């Protein structure tokens, strides 16, 4: 891969993770590029509509075109059409936010969600955001289905020290994470009690295909304020969580079929 392509992808990745505006110097440092090279790259991205520059402050932000690209891709996979009804069913049952996290190589991302909370404390969208593997129920549920060497490699690559503040109970070392993953394998679901964020608790189950010992293709997660997600409430929700994970595992191959199915235009072109 050429250096220019690598730098462009790094810039798009940088802007996709932040909705804030950034000064040229901050972007230069983040990309480890020269000032002139960073300016040329940003000029090209602005011209193509992926980045916007405030004419008053001269600061740069990612444009809505980045979000549109992600949503177009998500739609093309058939993921929302196939999985969303199950997420909504679990959200109604739990009265909480339900998320679906799917992997891309060694990373995990929130790709769909359904809101079940109708009042009081509630959490909103994190679609497209990368999942913190060692400090979230969804991340740990996914890691627990892998060989331990692979899980540790993924966790170490992501790092235990991240820019986003974590909760007071976040795991901080590989040995503790290994013990937690073994417990998760034994009970079949993961939990994160004020690990990703103070005051937030989540439970998650891995989504597998036919083979119950295979690596998970995704995680389904229930997220709630810690004051509502008590030990008793978690125990009440786990059976339905596991049942939803099982049904999503059965539906998952349909997602691939939906992504591969020809569109109406493809069919017309073939005639």
């Amino acid at each position: 891969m050429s250096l220019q392509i690598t730098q462009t992808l790094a810039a798009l990745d940088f802007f996709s993770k932040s909705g804030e505006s950034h000064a040229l110097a901050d972007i230069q440092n983040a990309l480890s590029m020269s000032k002139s090279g960073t300016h040329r790259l940003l000029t090209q991205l602005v011209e193509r509509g992926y980045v916007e520059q405030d004419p008053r402050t001269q600061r740069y932000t990612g444009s809505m075109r980045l979000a549109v690209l992600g949503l177009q891709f998500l739609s093309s996979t058939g993921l929302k059409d196939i999985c969303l009804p199950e997420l909504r069913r679990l959200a109604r049952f739990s009265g909480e936010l339900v998320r679906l996290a799917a992997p891309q190589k060694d990373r995990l991302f929130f790709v769909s969600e359904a809101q079940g909370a109708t009042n009081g404390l509630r959490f909103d969208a994190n679609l497209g955001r990368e999942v913190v593997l060692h400090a979230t129920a969804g991340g740990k549920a996914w890691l627990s289905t892998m060989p331990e060497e692979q899980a540790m490699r993924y966790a170490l690559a992501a790092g235990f020290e991240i820019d986003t503040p974590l909760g007071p109970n976040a795991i901080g070392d590989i040995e503790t994470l290994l013990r937690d993953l073994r417990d998760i394998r034994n009970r079949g679901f993961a939990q994160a009690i004020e690990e990703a964020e103070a005051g937030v608790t989540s439970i998650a189950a891995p989504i597998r295909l036919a083979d119950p010992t295979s690596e998970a293709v995704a995680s389904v997660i229930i997220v709630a304020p810690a004051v509502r997600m008590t030990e008793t409430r978690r125990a009440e929700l786990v059976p339905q969580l596991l049942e939803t994970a099982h049904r999503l595992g059965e539906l998952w191959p349909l997602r691939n079929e939906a992504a591969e199915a020809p569109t109406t235009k493809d069919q017309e072109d073939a005639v």
Side-chain angles (χ1 to χ4, degrees):
M1 186 181 294
S2 71
L3 179 60
Q4 184 177 9
I5 293 175
T6 301
Q7 292 171 336
T8 301
L9 292 175
L12 293 175
D13 189 54
F14 172 80
F15 283 109
S16 72
K17 294 177 179 177
S18 173
E20 301 176 356
S21 63
H22 301 275
L24 175 63
D26 296 333
I27 303 168
Q28 174 190 343
N29 292 335
L31 301 181
S32 300
M33 295 175 59
S34 66
K35 182 177 181 180
S36 60
T38 304
H39 186 265
R40 283 195 301 272
L41 175 59
L42 290 172
T43 299
Q44 293 174 345
L45 292 176
V46 169
E47 289 176 353
R48 286 162 175 78
Y50 293 102
V51 173
E52 297 175 347
Q53 184 180 27
D54 188 313
R56 183 178 61 83
T57 65
Q58 299 299 300
R59 295 171 70 88
Y60 297 87
T61 56
S63 76
M64 285 301 296
R65 187 171 183 181
L66 291 175
V68 170
L69 283 176
L71 291 172
Q72 286 175 336
F73 172 75
L74 184 60
S75 177
S76 72
T77 66
L79 184 66
K80 292 190 72 173
D81 292 338
I82 299 299
C83 299
L84 194 54
E86 291 297 334
L87 301 184
R88 286 174 173 163
R89 185 177 292 111
L90 182 59
R92 287 194 299 270
F93 177 85
S94 65
E96 304 293 356
L97 177 65
V98 173
R99 289 174 175 156
L100 183 71
Q104 176 64 36
K105 294 186 177 179
D106 60 349
R107 300 161 70 187
L108 195 66
F109 297 88
F110 294 118
V111 296
S112 190
E113 62 185 22
Q115 179 61 261
T118 57
N119 52 52
L121 292 172
R122 51 185 287 173
F123 302 100
D124 294 315
N126 274 297
L127 293 185
R129 196 173 105 187
E130 186 171 354
V131 179
V132 180
L133 295 181
H134 72 279
T136 61
K140 293 190 293 182
W142 182 52
L143 291 176
S144 72
T145 67
M146 305 174 189
E148 288 189 347
E149 182 179 348
Q150 179 183 348
M152 294 306 99
R153 185 168 68 251
Y154 283 10
L156 288 171
F160 285 85
E161 298 294 332
I162 63 173
D163 295 335
T164 305
L166 297 175
N169 299 328
I171 292 173
D173 60 86
I174 208 74
E175 291 78 13
T176 305
L177 179 59
L178 267 174
R179 288 196 298 270
D180 200 9
L181 295 183
R182 290 166 185 161
D183 289 340
I184 293 167
R185 279 193 289 272
N186 289 333
R187 64 175 178 258
F189 71 95
Q191 57 186 16
I193 303 171
E194 296 195 84
E195 293 183 40
E197 186 179 347
V200 178
T201 291
S202 59
I203 55 176
I207 299 169
R208 289 183 167 99
L209 302 184
D211 182 358
T213 64
S214 63
E215 182 177 319
V217 295
S219 296
V220 58
I221 310 119
I222 303 176
V223 186
V227 294
R228 286 205 301 259
M229 190 70 91
T230 61
E231 183 177 359
T232 299
R233 184 58 176 155
R234 293 197 301 274
E236 293 170 348
L237 294 175
V238 163
Q240 190 65 31
L241 173 71
L242 295 175
E243 178 60 26
T244 300
H246 176 71
R247 286 200 297 266
L248 286 170
E250 292 180 328
L251 290 169
W252 203 262
L254 298 178
R255 162 189 180 269
N256 298 329
E257 292 176 16
E260 294 168 4
T263 63
T264 302
K265 184 178 186 303
D266 292 334
Q267 293 169 339
E268 290 173 351
D269 292 343
V271 174

